Amino acid sequence: MRDSTVAIDISARSAYAERLKRAWYRFSRSKLSLLGLLMVASIIFIAIFAPVVTPYPEHAGAFVDFGNTMHPPSLEHPFGTDAMGRDILTRCFFAFRGALIMGIVVLAIVVPIGTAVGLFGGYFEGKWFSTIVMRVTDVFLAIPPLVLALAIAALLKPTLTNSMIAVCISWWPWYARLVYGMTVSVRNEPFVKAVELTGMNRFKIMFSEILPNHLGPILTKMTLDMGWVILTGASLSFVGLGEQPPTPALGTMVSDGAKYLPTYWWISVFPALMIVIIILSFNLLGDGIREMLTSGE
Amino acid sequence: MSLTKYIIKRIVYSIGVLFGVSILIFVISNIVPGDPARMALGPRAPEWAVEDLRKEMNLDKPLVERYFLWLSDLMRGDLGESLRSRRPITKDIAEYLPASIEIIALSAFFMAVIGINLGRLSARFSGTWFDGVVRILSYTGIVTPAFVWAILFVLLFSYLIPIFPTTGRITPGLAAPPRITGMYIIDGLLTGNFRVALNAFWHIVLPSLALSMGGAAQAARMTRASMVDNAEKDYILAVRAYGVPNKLIYRRLLLKPSLVAPISIMALDIAALLGNAFLVELVFLYPGISRYGVEAMLNKDLFAIISVVLIIGIGYTIANVVIDVIIAHLDPRVRLGGAKSA
Amino acid sequence: MKNEEALAVQNLRVNYKIYRGILKVLDGINLTVKRGEKIGLVGETGCGKTTTLKAIMGILAGNAILSSGRVTVNGKVVLQRSAHHMVRKSAKRVAMIFQDPTASLNPVFTIGEQMELVVRYAANRSSSAREAAVNALRLAQLPDAERIHTNFPFQLSGGMRQRVCIAMALAAEPNIILADEPTTNLDVTIQDQVLKLLKRLCDEQELALVLVTHSLGVARETCDRIYVMYAGTIVEYASSQNIFENPYHPYTRGLLAALPRLTGEGIAEGIEGRIPDYLNPPQGCRFAPRCEHATEKCFSTKPGFYEAEDGHFVSCFLYETERGVASDVSHSSDTES
């Protein structure tokens, strides 16, 4: 960490700008991180402007054109058409919307809950109520998350909202465990002990002294998880427990298309490819963020 | 603390967790909105039939009582009756579970063997083209979901190079071997029906491969990273300086301390594997417990759903214990209760 | 004469290739160790002491480049820069003790397993490896050697681990031991014991010792001769006594002046400035930017070695007139990569 250009007398604002600039430098050093950022940005752009960027926006709903079924990929239909004669590219792009909403909503619910539980459990580690909370977390972790999500989704009506609820219930313990581990490891550090001596409120210590140290790993996990949450949503709809037709969902499209393999391969292969691309994008971005937050120099 | 003591402690704790799991599943399945009996029978069923079923499922009793009724049945090996097949769920599970065990065991084997060996060789030849290829492959493996692999395999092997079958457990027309364990491969071998055993094995290659790709990729990546990291440690530099052959270093001295991380990660990979089995068995039309579970789910077959989740929870817990035992075997600090592993 | 030399390092230059460029770390190291002689290699953290040892052992990191030089062990060349690449042979009868005993023992194998490997491959004994290992443990004054043989590293204390490392070095049946700050990571109370043990073993078995340390005091206690290193160069060498009584090089003087306060983090209070950036080291004498006597010549030309007294060599232009050039580093034939 040699640095000869550190100016000491810079205002807080420019120090912040400087830090952002350095972070960006570390992030942009890797071409793959930049690619990930670009891909994620494109996915978001496509999802928002789906009605504008897709060739046949009307195909996103309960559209039927029996004259045009099962067309292989062509210039008019780059991903081909499905059994209803709908343009697969259009439906894939519209499906990005549900996928992103799923990822964002689930993480927006799961991260605060999991973080709070982990902080609480970690800070009060050894106390009986912390033990109970963490044992409950262990119980959730004892069921593979996709299996738990499938079971919960099965007991609810198959809608996008309900699959989000199902994924939330199976996802929060992972954040609880991550934050718990990190909190236990810093709980006895001098900086925590010092503010404890000042008599600061314990909840304030947890959130304003301990939590800021965990933001990096949490942010990294969130970025990576966007892809995995979207995959879990796609898995639910693949099995038939997610959003119901005619709303396009990538998982549903893949499983519908699987019936027509191998002759009409494009019906399932392109939506599957879109799932891979979404996961890949968020993984590249997440790796870039991790690199940015952990690399020295 | 000896290894045996460690294992016993680990098992006792797991049993506690499993009790928690049973409560969790039961509570979730009972607090969801809607009437399970009505859901099972569908909206057109007459009210009296729903009422009867409700009584049969003990839905008229309070939640806690219902749990203990269910638990005492469970302890006697009675998981209830499937609302769909109208058979005891225990029977259904006995029929479908062995098929899944075969697939999952083979996937776990692939995952460990392919993953660790690729990672090991990648570290051994780090910086070469081989390392580059493995790194790209493992990234691809990680970001591609199991069901996508399954679909690609079906496409590839049923159409382009039809060497592996892509549906079912066994070629239609071939008789299943006499039932001992329910696992065709084992039963086939035990009863001398080698053709059947081979045929059954042939059928699970693709589903197992599809299921193991992600985990194998993860294991390869972790093994490589961990070995490359440890290769710079003084204890490896020292043996290298003393003229210990590279082969021995990479196969043993460097590999063993580097296995702890990838094998710990495998616990998560097995969780993913058990979840993905639900999709992969569907793609390969494979009659396993997961496919049974999906059908139960789609039909709101409450007790069947609970049972499948519980079975998978037990399976996953056993897998976790096995992984912990392997780690304890690899790392004396865990086994003998020393400092935390590095 | 040749037979007398256990170890000779000639004009050793080692660079490291990193992301930002090339670190020119070792800039022409020369040192010789006679049989049974104990020398100290003294300098601040980051001056290239460990790199020198690793080069001798043939365990330089993957990004290291040998741009010139030759290492001879027991009369056999083990490291050499030939036309375009480095030629490395595994050095026999050399053993190394690392700074951190915890990092130099494999955590997942027993002490016995690790020592037997050393016996087998370094000492070339396949039979009775076990006895040889237990024997080495006894030599390192470890109580209950039989039990330690079956222990894992984490079951031992730091001091015991370093004794095990010494035992392991002995198990290689060397005639040279390279010890890289063997006591830095130990409690103060056992530092002395370990050093005394090392010294006694070297005396008893007539082993040559290269002791790397940042502490002149430690070096004087243990060694016959001392080489003072600064930023990848040897600046002065002489008998331990001479160095202490009559230091010549401005850097050595600074080190001695700072002695009471000398700790792991260098000599900030003794000499102004810090070790130069290896990416862009000074052209002439590497110490010039920190030297109060530096002249223009010091900045442009590398000084050779001048014999200030009998057997007392200094690499500094201040002593150029004293007794003429003993050896010249800057005009060697096989330089530059």
Side-chain angles (χ1 to χ4, degrees), chain B residues 15-341:
Chain B
I15 290 172
V17 169
L18 281 177
F19 263 102
V21 169
S22 75
I23 297 174
L24 173 69
I25 302 167
F26 194 83
V27 168
I28 287 178
S29 60
N30 278 277
I31 57 170
V32 292
D35 178 354
R38 167 61 71 189
M39 281 201 295
L41 293 178
R44 273 175 306 230
E47 190 53 42
W48 58 264
V50 176
E51 199 54 50
D52 278 358
L53 183 61
R54 207 175 278 144
K55 278 226 172 67
E56 193 190 316
M57 292 168 79
N58 290 324
L59 289 174
D60 49 346
K61 302 202 172 74
L63 187 64
V64 178
E65 194 185 336
R66 249 156 51 208
Y67 171 72
F68 283 105
L69 282 171
W70 176 73
L71 190 66
S72 67
D73 282 349
L74 179 70
M75 289 295 143
R76 277 183 279 114
D78 177 7
L79 292 164
E81 196 175 70
S82 161
L83 297 174
R84 199 169 52 88
S85 71
R86 282 282 155 194
R87 298 200 312 168
I89 294 168
T90 329
K91 252 197 178 137
D92 284 345
I93 286 178
E95 189 180 330
Y96 294 112
L97 185 61
S100 286
I101 292 177
E102 284 180 310
I103 280 198
I104 286 161
L106 188 64
S107 316
F109 174 79
F110 279 156
M111 196 162 91
V113 171
I114 298 178
I116 288 171
N117 278 303
L118 277 184
R120 177 174 69 85
L121 292 171
S122 188
R124 175 89 169 76
F125 301 107
S126 79
T128 64
W129 64 268
F130 176 80
D131 181 32
V133 169
V134 171
R135 288 170 79 176
I136 292 171
L137 278 182
S138 50
Y139 212 89
T140 316
I142 289 168
V143 299
T144 310
F147 70 91
V148 173
W149 284 119
I151 282 172
L152 291 178
F153 286 168
V154 168
L155 198 57
L156 202 66
F157 289 97
S158 69
Y159 195 52
L160 298 173
I161 15 174
I163 44 171
F164 288 109
T166 56
T167 51
R169 272 186 96 177
I170 198 164
T171 304
L174 209 59
R179 185 185 169 98
I180 302 170
T181 59
M183 288 178 259
Y184 285 2
I185 299 174
I186 308 258
D187 291 352
L189 290 176
L190 288 177
T191 57
N193 289 314
F194 297 119
R195 225 181 104 227
V196 178
L198 188 67
N199 188 281
F201 177 75
W202 221 232
H203 275 80
I204 65 168
V205 168
L206 286 186
S208 305
L209 215 50
L211 272 178
S212 61
M213 292 297 266
Q218 188 79 43
R221 201 175 162 188
M222 291 289 287
T223 308
R224 181 195 180 277
S226 174
M227 282 179 82
V228 165
D229 205 30
N230 285 338
E232 294 293 315
K233 295 252 168 81
D234 287 349
Y235 59 81
I236 294 300
L237 294 182
V239 289
R240 192 167 279 162
Y242 287 133
V244 177
N246 246 340
K247 209 169 151 187
L248 184 60
I249 294 178
Y250 275 92
R251 289 219 174 142
R252 202 169 133 71
L253 300 173
L254 179 54
L255 184 63
K256 201 176 170 193
S258 306
L259 279 181
V260 175
I263 289 185
S264 308
I265 274 286
M266 252 176 233
L268 300 184
D269 291 328
I270 286 185
L273 193 157
L274 291 171
N276 284 326
F278 279 74
L279 286 69
V280 170
E281 287 188 0
L282 219 51
V283 174
F284 287 98
L285 304 176
Y286 189 83
I289 189 81
S290 311
R291 194 156 146 243
Y292 173 77
V294 170
E295 268 157 33
M297 286 166 182
L298 292 173
N299 290 293
K300 309 267 178 204
D301 192 346
L302 191 66
F303 285 120
I305 298 175
I306 296 177
S307 307
V308 169
V309 175
L310 192 64
I311 292 284
I312 289 175
I314 292 171
Y316 181 46
T317 305
I318 293 172
N320 266 313
V321 173
V322 170
I323 285 173
D324 282 350
V325 170
I326 294 174
I327 287 174
H329 179 74
L330 286 173
D331 191 340
R333 285 164 293 192
V334 175
R335 173 168 83 234
L336 303 168
K340 271 186 197 160
S341 63

Side-chain angles (χ1 to χ4, degrees), chain A residues 123 196 200-210:
Chain A
Y123 187 68
E196 272 173 3
M200 192 193 262
N201 178 305
R202 292 185 164 234
F203 285 92
K204 215 174 156 208
I205 294 175
M206 273 160 48
F207 285 98
S208 64
E209 300 296 323
I210 297 179

Side-chain angles (χ1 to χ4, degrees), chain A residues 93-106:
Chain A
F93 282 5
F94 271 91
F96 283 3
R97 295 180 147 191
L100 285 179
I101 290 174
M102 173 111 199
I104 292 167
V105 172
V106 166

Side-chain angles (χ1 to χ4, degrees), chain C residues 286-335:
Chain C
R286 285 195 168 182
F287 187 60
R290 286 169 81 178
C291 182
E292 47 186 320
H293 309 289
T295 62
E296 226 164 88
K297 189 177 176 190
C298 297
F299 282 96
S300 60
T301 321
K302 288 184 202 301
F305 273 99
Y306 310 105
E307 193 163 11
E309 272 174 57
D310 277 340
H312 193 145
F313 294 88
V314 193
S315 172
C316 179
F317 287 123
L318 286 176
Y319 308 98
E320 194 175 13
T321 50
E322 305 250 334
R323 288 239 211 143
V325 178
S327 69
D328 195 316
V329 184
S330 54
H331 304 112
S332 308
S333 52
D334 48 353
T335 49

Side-chain angles (χ1 to χ4, degrees), chain B residues 235 237 241 245 253 332-333 335, chain C residues 57 59 103 106 113 121 152 154:
Chain B
Y235 59 81
L237 294 182
L253 300 173
R333 285 164 293 192
R335 173 168 83 234
Chain C
M57 285 304 281
I59 49 171
N106 198 322
E113 285 173 295
Y121 290 99
F152 286 96
F154 78 93

Side-chain angles (χ1 to χ4, degrees), chain A residues 51-246:
Chain A
V52 189
V53 296
T54 52
Y56 310 96
E58 68 278 11
H59 290 198
F63 178 89
V64 178
D65 178 0
F66 286 119
N68 263 323
T69 55
M70 313 287 208
H71 276 305
S74 63
L75 278 180
E76 298 103 275
H77 302 287
F79 291 0
T81 62
D82 65 10
M84 306 279 190
R86 296 175 297 197
D87 180 55
I88 292 173
L89 176 84
T90 303
R91 291 183 64 78
C92 279
F93 282 5
F94 271 91
F96 283 3
R97 295 180 147 191
L100 285 179
I101 290 174
M102 173 111 199
I104 292 167
V105 172
V106 166
L107 289 176
I109 294 170
V110 151
V111 174
I113 294 176
T115 305
V117 169
L119 266 179
F120 180 81
Y123 187 68
F124 294 109
E125 194 222 20
K127 302 240 166 60
W128 62 270
F129 44 88
S130 155
T131 310
I132 289 179
V133 167
M134 292 325 289
R135 290 298 165 270
V136 170
T137 310
D138 278 357
V139 167
F140 276 86
L141 291 170
I143 308 172
L146 179 55
V147 178
L148 186 58
L150 281 167
I152 296 166
L155 297 166
L156 302 166
K157 279 198 183 66
T159 61
L160 182 62
T161 317
N162 283 342
S163 35
M164 290 195 284
I165 291 173
V167 178
C168 284
I169 294 175
S170 65
W171 218 277
W172 70 267
W174 300 91
Y175 282 88
R177 196 170 80 163
L178 174 76
V179 176
Y180 170 81
M182 294 188 299
T183 307
V184 167
S185 71
V186 300
R187 192 179 54 129
N188 290 323
E189 295 279 315
F191 75 92
V192 177
K193 291 284 154 208
V195 286
E196 272 173 3
L197 287 175
T198 66
M200 192 193 262
N201 178 305
R202 292 185 164 234
F203 285 92
K204 215 174 156 208
I205 294 175
M206 273 160 48
F207 285 98
S208 64
E209 300 296 323
I210 297 179
L211 181 60
N213 299 289
H214 303 340
L215 291 180
I218 293 176
L219 182 68
T220 308
K221 184 169 167 60
M222 278 174 73
T223 317
L224 295 170
D225 274 359
M226 268 301 281
W228 302 124
V229 168
I230 290 172
L231 170 62
T232 308
S235 302
L236 293 183
S237 58
F238 182 92
V239 179
L241 296 171
E243 195 157 24
Q244 294 300 300

Side-chain angles (χ1 to χ4, degrees), chain A residues 34-49:
Chain A
L34 287 175
L35 180 67
L37 183 65
L38 184 74
M39 285 166 77
V40 167
S42 314
I43 290 167
I44 295 172
F45 179 84
I46 288 171
I48 294 174
F49 297 103

